[in-house]
Amino acid sequence: MQPIKLAIVGLRRGRFIPWVNRALQAFEVTALCDVDEEKIRSAQANPELGLARADAFVDYDDMLARADIEAVVVASPMSRHAEQSAKALARGVHVLSEVTAAVSVEQCRRLVAACRASRATYMFAENMNYAREVALVAALVRAGLFGATYYAEAEYIHELKQLQSDTPWRRRWHTGVNGIVYGTHSIGPVLLWLPGERLVSVCCAGSGHHHRDAEGQPFEMEDTCVLLGKTSRGGLVKIRLDFQTDRPGGHYFVLQ
């Protein structure tokens, strides 16, 4: 089988792709796209990445029009994911999109419409679904060792105050909105363990505001946000997200 001709969009987050290919040997990176030309030059100059021969672009539309590609990894800031994915799908280019898929309900609707209208494949790259412990529990569920799963909890605790200074888009799209804005690392594994289920209704609450950003401004997102959701078969899901609290971070899961 011929390797898939692949473009990487967003070199800060997308630099992991060549490492993946060392194991898969399934694709060839033929194009790189980033608004920061220095990131492209740095990636091309790194012999371990093997990207020296990839064509370089600073404009996404230009890359779609001129690059020799069959698939694209969308690893740009999260507010761009839906639009860039939809444009690739419209050209018949397969998409692997980083989390999250979209930042608004309207973006979600446009992305779904683009997926339905295209012959190309869209995949959402929720990496936690492939963590060893998550995959192990999923296998136990498939084997029937949990019986009927009907309740799950997941928490994503990740203090991001400094990281938001380093990557300013996070200050707008992570903690600039109050709610569960980055719930995929929790919802992905939970729905994997509740096979055939989907969330059909949710309610959320927050713990208030007790932290400020590097400029001394309060975050719009409350410190801890909790979502309770009912599933299509009557199950219950609880999701907790916390990006501000000064405490050890990690992913925590419960299945019943």
Side-chain angles (χ1 to χ4, degrees), residues 228-251:
L228 282 178
K230 292 291 289 183
T231 70
S232 51
R233 296 179 184 173
L236 183 63
V237 168
K238 186 185 85 171
I239 303 295
R240 177 189 176 194
L241 183 69
D242 189 324
F243 283 159
Q244 277 90 256
T245 301
D246 298 318
R247 53 158 288 172
H251 299 274

Side-chain angles (χ1 to χ4, degrees), residues 6 12 31 38 42 63 67 88 102 155 167 169 177 210 215 230 235:
L6 185 73
R12 186 180 191 276
E38 179 55 38
S42 175
M63 184 203 72
E155 298 185 356
T167 50
W169 64 265
V177 180
H210 302 88
E215 283 70 46
K230 292 291 289 183

Side-chain angles (χ1 to χ4, degrees), residues 174-183 204-205 220-222 225-226 241 243:
H174 274 176
T175 52
V177 180
N178 192 30
I180 309 291
V181 299
Y182 199 84
C204 301
E220 287 76 8
M221 177 187 283
E222 295 177 69
C225 294
V226 174
L241 183 69
F243 283 159

